[in-house]
């Protein structure tokens, strides 16, 4: 089964959401991507449909935008 991908920017909203996600989903089932430190993955996140972070991209391609930390354009 493909992993879900949790994209975030390291802000307090994102860090809180990351902890909540990791409490709900086993860490081996989700990849965590910090777009603030992995700038090369911003385009990947956009292609997946991420418009703001924090966001969880499920293995079926659905994007769950969680709260609002930063717009994806702000991370470019």
């Amino acid at each position: 089964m493909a992993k879900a991908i949790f994209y975030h920017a390291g802000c307090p909203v994102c860090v809180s959401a990351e902890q909540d996600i990791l409490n709900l989903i086993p860490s081996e089932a989700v990849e965590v991507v910090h777009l603030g430190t992995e700038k090369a993955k911003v385009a990947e996140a956009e292609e997946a449909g991420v418009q703001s972070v924090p966001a969880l991209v499920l293995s079926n391609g659905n994007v769950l935008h969680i709260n609002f930390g930063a717009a994806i354009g702000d991370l470019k």
Side-chain angles (χ1 to χ4, degrees):
M1 181 170 128
K3 286 186 174 187
I5 304 173
F6 178 74
Y7 292 101
H8 74 92
C11 68
V13 170
C14 293
V15 172
S16 175
E18 177 184 2
Q19 293 306 307
D20 289 340
I21 291 295
L22 293 176
N23 284 330
L24 293 170
I25 302 172
S27 60
E28 61 272 0
V30 61
E31 175 185 354
V32 176
V33 177
H34 186 312
L35 294 175
T37 59
E38 296 183 63
K39 296 280 189 192
K41 296 212 174 192
V42 172
E44 173 187 296
E46 276 187 305
E47 286 178 25
V50 174
Q51 297 175 5
S52 65
V53 293
L56 180 66
V57 179
L58 302 176
S59 59
N60 66 3
N62 288 343
V63 180
L64 303 177
H65 290 94
I66 305 164
N67 208 330
F68 184 83
I72 197 77
D74 294 340
L75 299 171
K76 292 181 179 180

